[in-house]
Amino acid sequence: MKNLNNAVQSEYDYAYSIYSPSNVANDGILSELDVFNAHFALADFFVSTGEEARYGILNFGLLSSAVARQSVGFNGQCKWNDDESKVSTLAFGLDKNHAFNDGNKRTALLCLLLALHRKKRHLVCKKKKLETLLVRIAANEMDQYPDFRHFKKHGDDAIIVYMANFLRKHSSKIDNSFRTMTYEEFNRKLKKYDIRLDNAQNAYIDVLQAKEERKFFGLLKRNKETRVLQIGFPGWKRQINPKAVKNVLKMCGLFENGLDMKTFYEGGEPEYKLIEEYFDVLKRLKDE
């Protein structure tokens, strides 16, 4: 991650060099690195608001265990076959495992929102409902929901099934409709993701992407820029074709990292957009 608060960045780099979180999600939605980044994004955001926040990895094994819950299976069959169940079991694991020094419930909530976002969905219920659910899970107070008794037949998985049902009822698809923009506007938005348009010639232009490389156990970092593809280019002030926009974002891997068209047009990183949207809830969700 880039442009973190200096103290947070130092802890991030130190923890990354020790644990090397995997960026592979297997049959899940979020990877170890996604959860790792979400935790430090939260730390960065709240430290920047002046809050005294404890953060960092307490037990990486518990983080890894929570992530693995999404793809656990038996005899080659994944236990959780739908997105809502995968999101729920991940959030439950992060909420209960306490893999971080602080901010476990906050990280669980942000990862729940981020996993939904990656599946092009968002919550449409009152934020207080979600906050109450996470608090009751952490406090083992699910019996305060009158309808929870109907889910007890699922045994140890009752809470996961209840959460998944909650997400199905209270989420909907994100609007990804195309908004017109010029090549100049497109290039400006791409630069936020270390991508740019350059070397225009013969009605085509290169799409260049800088990727961070880490060497020597993650201690040495450098950016290396490569050409990903070429697209048609009639001029900076001309409107870009929506198919070209989606192709660039796809080929550069932005969709794989949870970006949706709405966030791309409006600007910002998904984690920080979600933190801003749920700021009040996240602020109240401090670990006891």
Side-chain angles (χ1 to χ4, degrees):
M1 296 184 76
K2 298 179 179 179
N3 303 318
L4 297 174
N5 170 280
N6 288 338
V8 177
Q9 184 73 64
S10 178
E11 179 63 25
Y12 177 94
D13 291 340
Y14 173 73
Y16 189 99
S17 69
I18 293 176
Y19 301 113
S20 299
S22 170
N23 197 25
V24 177
N26 293 318
D27 292 324
I29 301 173
L30 298 188
S31 66
E32 292 175 353
L33 183 60
D34 291 323
V35 174
F36 188 88
N37 285 347
H39 175 74
F40 282 99
L42 279 165
D44 180 58
F45 191 94
F46 280 95
V47 167
S48 70
T49 65
E51 178 178 304
E52 292 186 10
R54 292 175 62 240
Y55 52 86
I57 307 299
L58 178 63
N59 186 320
F60 187 79
L62 294 178
L63 183 158
S64 183
S65 174
V67 171
R69 292 174 64 95
Q70 302 168 96
S71 52
V72 67
F74 306 96
N75 297 322
Q77 297 294 318
C78 190
K79 180 178 182 179
W80 307 112
N81 295 311
D82 61 280
D83 293 337
E84 293 83 3
S85 294
K86 291 178 187 293
V87 173
S88 298
T89 196
L90 170 64
F92 177 83
L94 292 171
D95 196 354
K96 302 291 281 187
N97 277 9
H98 290 267
F100 306 100
N101 288 320
D102 199 2
N104 291 279
K105 288 196 288 292
R106 288 178 176 178
T107 304
L109 172 56
L110 180 56
C111 287
L112 181 152
L113 297 170
L114 190 60
L116 283 177
H117 184 92
R118 192 155 294 185
K119 289 300 178 178
K120 314 304 180 191
R121 299 190 69 79
H122 67 138
L123 290 174
V124 292
C125 64
K126 291 183 178 180
K127 297 179 177 64
K128 186 65 178 175
K129 281 190 174 183
L130 184 60
E131 178 184 355
T132 299
L133 176 60
L134 288 174
V135 169
R136 287 180 176 175
I137 289 172
N140 299 314
E141 296 176 346
M142 291 298 290
D143 284 328
Q144 291 192 30
Y145 290 112
D147 60 338
F148 184 67
R149 66 181 187 277
H150 301 303
F151 292 82
K152 288 187 175 181
K153 62 184 178 183
H154 297 284
D156 293 340
D157 296 327
I159 295 177
I160 309 303
V161 178
Y162 186 92
M163 287 181 71
N165 186 63
F166 176 94
L167 296 179
R168 289 188 200 98
K169 288 172 33 177
H170 297 294
S171 67
S172 65
K173 288 185 177 180
I174 294 173
D175 174 21
N176 274 332
S177 56
F178 181 77
R179 291 124 167 118
T180 59
M181 75 176 83
T182 65
Y183 279 82
E184 186 175 57
E185 292 172 317
F186 183 50
N187 188 43
R188 189 164 58 247
K189 293 181 183 298
L190 285 175
K191 287 180 178 179
K192 296 179 181 178
Y193 303 94
D194 294 324
I195 304 167
R196 64 187 179 93
L197 306 179
D198 203 358
N199 306 325
Q201 54 182 333
N202 301 324
Y204 286 90
I205 195 166
D206 292 340
V207 178
L208 305 174
Q209 183 175 25
K211 291 188 177 181
E212 187 178 86
E213 291 186 335
R214 288 176 176 262
K215 293 185 175 181
F216 302 108
F217 306 100
L219 296 177
L220 179 62
K221 297 183 294 183
R222 69 170 185 172
N223 283 337
K224 182 179 180 181
E225 192 175 64
T226 58
R227 188 178 78 176
V228 180
L229 73 159
Q230 282 187 323
I231 58 174
F233 181 69
W236 289 110
K237 299 298 182 183
R238 299 286 294 276
Q239 299 289 318
I240 186 169
N241 186 292
K243 289 184 179 180
V245 172
K246 291 182 178 179
N247 191 39
V248 169
L249 301 186
K250 178 181 178 181
M251 293 297 293
C252 291
L254 296 186
F255 287 151
E256 296 173 9
N257 291 325
L259 185 74
D260 66 280
M261 296 301 291
K262 184 174 185 294
T263 301
F264 178 73
Y265 293 131
E266 294 177 355
E269 298 177 68
E271 292 92 339
Y272 286 89
K273 296 283 285 186
L274 292 167
I275 292 171
E276 287 182 5
E277 184 179 354
Y278 283 82
F279 175 76
D280 290 340
V281 175
L282 289 164
K283 189 172 183 179
R284 290 192 295 267
L285 278 178
K286 288 186 67 68
D287 291 342
E288 298 299 332

